[in-house]
Amino acid sequence: MKKLNLILLGLLPIMSFAKAPDCHNWPMNMTEMWMRSAGIVDFKNLNIPKTKITLLASEKKEKDLYTQIYHFVFYDQKGKSYEVITKNEASYEECSMSQVNSYLISKRDINY
């Protein structure tokens, strides 16, 4: 009985974390448009299926409202990569609860 209680206590913190909404499409699409408007890269040159997406942080602010931080690595057809960090608010009902703030971290030629 004591072992069962210890196991349950060990699992309790894991079970208490609510899963954040999967809203990577909204910041990804807004970042693609931002990079195009800023003249960083033309959307037609991006290799979208190769994009790497990482949710760095998701903080619950209110009931069903999360601040989310994503790290994207975009690749173009010419061998360049573009690393971007985004910040926005999302919920389970609507991924676009706020504008997307995009920050270009690096732009590199991966064809050395």
Side-chain angles (χ1 to χ4, degrees), residues 12-79:
L12 199 56
I14 295 168
M15 296 184 321
S16 67
F17 292 109
K19 187 174 187 283
D22 180 13
C23 285
H24 70 274
N25 283 329
W26 169 249
M28 184 172 156
N29 291 338
M30 293 299 100
T31 298
E32 290 166 359
M33 290 182 4
W34 168 73
M35 289 194 309
R36 179 179 174 192
S37 297
I40 297 168
V41 65
D42 190 348
F43 176 76
K44 292 179 246 171
N45 292 331
L46 289 177
N47 186 349
I48 299 303
K50 197 173 175 183
T51 302
K52 293 181 182 176
I53 305 162
T54 306
L55 177 62
L56 297 178
S58 185
E59 177 185 20
K60 188 172 186 177
K61 295 182 75 168
E62 300 172 10
K63 182 182 179 197
D64 196 30
L65 184 64
Y66 297 82
T67 298
Q68 295 192 323
I69 310 291
Y70 279 95
H71 175 245
F72 294 99
V73 182
F74 297 94
Y75 297 91
D76 69 13
Q77 306 295 341
K78 299 176 184 177

